[in-house]
Amino acid sequence: RVALQSRMTSLQQQLDALPAELEEHEACLLNEFASVLNAQKRRCRRLWEAAEKEAVEGPPLVAPAVEPATASLEDCLDREGSPLIEEPD
């Protein structure tokens, strides 16, 4: 009976801690999502600016290096470990 009561107390403490853990996890996910979104926005802006420049000046004499494909948003958010490193503006 004492073991059961101890187990119930332990489970109740874990249950009480879940909302705070969830809030922390959500904040982390939102930060990672914002990092991924901002990186994608910077990439899109660079592509748009390059297209605008090409429309005004004509195509470049030397083709620019193509950026490699990036992981999907889901893959980026599923990564374990350190948060994403933001690119400089």
Side-chain angles (χ1 to χ4, degrees), residues 16 24-25 43 54 79-80 83:
D16 293 341
E24 183 181 326
H25 185 68
R43 184 172 187 254
E54 188 173 310
R79 289 182 186 159
E80 295 283 333

Side-chain angles (χ1 to χ4, degrees), residues 25-44:
H25 185 68
E26 285 178 340
C28 182
L29 285 175
L30 284 173
N31 285 336
E32 289 181 22
F33 179 74
S35 295
V36 170
L37 182 60
N38 287 334
Q40 185 63 29
K41 286 169 39 179
R42 284 189 294 274
R43 184 172 187 254
C44 288

